[in-house]
Amino acid sequence: MENNYVVIMAGGIGSRFWPFSRQHFPKQFQDILGVGKTMIQQTVERFDGICPPENIYIVTSEDYLELVKAQLPFLRDEQILLEPVRRNTAPCIAYACYKIASKDPDANIVVSPADHVILDVPEFKRVVSGVLETTKYNDILVTLGIRPNRPDTGYGYIQVQEDSKPIGPLKKVKTFTEKPNLELAVAFVTSGDFVWNAGIFIWNAKTILNEFKKHLPDISEAFTELNDTYYTERERKALKEAYFQCRNISIDYGIMEHADNVYVMRSDFGWSDLGTWKSLYEQADKNRDENVLQGNVMTYETRECIVKTPKDRLVVVQGLQNYIVAEYDNVLLICEKEQEQRIKQFVDDVKEKQGKDFV
């Protein structure tokens, strides 16, 4: 277990969850589900027993240093990796993996987002621990795939190569598909060959560094040059130079879709990426009118809505069906649930016309 490491990506803004997720206080640092712990605290907690606390690394923005320290006070400064700019997931993961490998070349690494929901934590631990035992001895990249229970168009899909030679319970990946349209999503789920892409990865350090060298040589070179600065006072300055050399690219586009040693572990542990209001609606408890009400809310002739508002403000809703009503700080959002994909557009428009105070 001492060679197991966990990298938690916590630098995103979560704009699809606006107005609750804001630039100064994104959703991973909030108790979205009302369980008494923030999303990042729950994420860290579920890795208890998988790796020692000193082997947990958080990659986040410089803006969120104090939030991370306040919510995860056990972390040492060297475990909080501060990105000087956002460059998507490939540079983020490269930074963490190259830094860890400089200290422990035999590292076995799990990479996870900070803001996902996992309902069956014991099953999650069983799956992750089993895969770590496999990646310890095999030069493979593993992604966790979730068995789909509906044709969701908000998730990416992984096609399993059923006739491939398995490694234990792991099957080779055939294709990755970004968020499909409904017709394609229905075909994927019906076929039985596809799983949702959970964005959780497991590999050993040597394998992922080789894949960076092969598929993203510019990023590999940038972080290899930092080898003698990791865990020193020179790291932060050198990091800024490295990041400005990196292109904006995801780990999926940069490596996973091109590597020939990618395997998937079919899993079922009550996963949701909680990326949107609709996904929160699906996870949360509903009343007899199928409403999710969080706050001091009274409803009349209202069904299948999610209303999340401050507890110190009485909100009365009449005659709505299938709506999002969300108020946080200085913003009130009222939007049809089926139109929630437009929220990112709303945020861009607000930023342009109203200023940064509202985003």
Side-chain angles (χ1 to χ4, degrees):
M1 191 173 88
E2 65 273 8
N3 295 117
N4 289 348
Y5 292 78
V6 173
V7 174
I8 295 172
M9 299 180 289
I13 296 169
S15 57
R16 290 182 297 166
F17 215 76
W18 182 81
F20 266 79
S21 195
R22 307 288 277 273
Q23 283 192 335
H24 67 282
F25 193 33
K27 65 175 180 176
Q28 60 266 30
F29 300 109
Q30 297 190 43
D31 178 10
I32 296 291
L33 292 172
V35 296
K37 289 177 183 169
T38 65
M39 303 296 294
I40 193 169
Q41 287 172 331
Q42 291 179 71
T43 301
V44 167
E45 195 174 75
R46 72 176 64 109
F47 287 103
D48 181 37
I50 289 175
C51 80
E54 62 270 21
N55 288 5
I56 292 174
Y57 286 72
I58 310 295
V59 190
T60 190
S61 163
E62 291 179 344
D63 298 336
Y64 306 142
L65 173 60
E66 295 310 316
L67 281 170
V68 172
K69 283 188 162 187
Q71 295 191 11
L72 303 169
F74 70 90
L75 294 175
R76 301 188 307 273
D77 286 351
E78 67 188 39
Q79 294 172 260
I80 306 172
L81 312 190
L82 301 176
E83 295 183 284
V85 289
R86 290 183 177 89
R87 286 286 190 266
N88 215 316
T89 54
C92 159
I93 290 170
Y95 175 24
C97 291
Y98 275 83
K99 178 169 179 171
I100 290 167
S102 74
K103 181 172 86 168
D104 183 359
D106 296 321
N108 209 10
I109 302 168
V110 185
V111 178
S112 169
D115 53 2
H116 288 185
V117 172
I118 287 170
L119 299 177
D120 189 346
V121 174
E123 174 63 9
F124 172 79
K125 287 185 173 185
R126 185 192 71 79
V127 167
V128 170
S129 297
V131 175
L132 281 166
E133 279 300 305
T134 305
T135 55
K136 190 192 299 185
Y137 304 108
N138 293 275
D139 295 332
I140 57 176
L141 308 176
V142 179
T143 181
L144 301 190
I146 309 300
R147 291 186 178 91
N149 55 20
R150 62 185 184 278
D152 200 302
T153 57
Y155 296 148
Y157 285 73
I158 298 168
Q159 185 179 17
V160 181
Q161 194 172 319
E162 294 293 359
D163 58 354
S164 65
K165 184 180 178 183
I167 300 178
L170 306 177
K171 287 284 188 104
K172 201 131 194 225
V173 169
K174 189 172 185 180
T175 61
F176 287 88
T177 304
E178 280 300 299
K179 300 165 185 175
N181 60 34
L182 183 59
E183 185 181 1
L184 206 51
V186 169
F188 285 173
V189 174
T190 304
S191 76
D193 294 342
F194 289 79
V195 288
W196 289 333
N197 186 351
I200 300 170
F201 309 105
I202 305 174
W203 44 54
N204 67 58
K206 289 171 185 167
T207 301
I208 190 61
L209 266 56
N210 283 337
E211 296 302 323
F212 268 107
K213 193 173 181 180
K214 192 186 299 183
H215 301 290
L216 294 172
D218 52 332
I219 292 177
S220 172
E221 186 179 340
F223 289 102
T224 300
E225 286 177 359
L226 268 62
N227 271 344
D228 63 348
T229 71
Y230 293 127
Y231 303 97
T232 75
E233 292 178 356
R234 293 176 289 125
E235 179 179 334
R236 197 161 181 180
K237 184 183 176 185
L239 182 71
K240 287 187 177 179
E241 295 173 12
Y243 255 79
F244 284 108
Q245 293 174 36
C246 292
R247 59 184 131 151
N248 188 318
I249 189 168
S250 72
I251 196 74
D252 295 273
Y253 282 126
I255 291 181
M256 303 301 283
E257 293 182 12
H258 305 289
D260 57 9
N261 55 343
V262 181
Y263 286 76
V264 62
M265 174 69 187
R266 278 192 173 103
S267 312
D268 190 2
F269 37 68
W271 171 89
S272 166
D273 77 347
L274 208 67
T276 64
W277 285 104
K278 199 172 175 184
S279 60
L280 176 58
Y281 174 82
E282 286 162 359
Q283 288 291 328
D285 293 334
K286 300 166 189 63
N287 66 12
R288 63 184 180 184
D289 294 319
E290 292 297 307
N291 293 318
V292 173
L293 306 178
Q294 297 182 0
N296 189 5
V297 184
M298 297 173 64
T299 60
Y300 301 86
E301 297 87 48
T302 293
R303 289 188 54 79
E304 297 170 32
C305 290
I306 177 165
V307 184
K308 189 173 174 68
T309 53
K311 291 178 181 175
D312 60 356
R313 184 189 298 274
L314 173 63
V315 176
V316 181
V317 181
Q318 186 276 328
L320 290 186
Q321 180 163 0
N322 221 21
Y323 265 78
I324 301 160
V325 180
E327 183 183 2
Y328 181 78
D329 197 11
N330 53 2
V331 177
L332 169 66
L333 169 74
I334 302 171
C335 173
E336 289 179 85
K337 224 165 28 175
E338 297 306 315
Q339 295 292 320
E340 69 167 2
Q341 73 276 6
R342 296 181 62 191
I343 290 177
K344 286 190 105 168
Q345 174 202 329
F346 301 160
V347 172
D348 290 341
D349 291 347
V350 166
K351 197 174 189 176
E352 181 185 338
K353 297 172 182 175
Q354 300 287 336
K356 292 184 178 179
D357 290 347
F358 298 96
V359 297

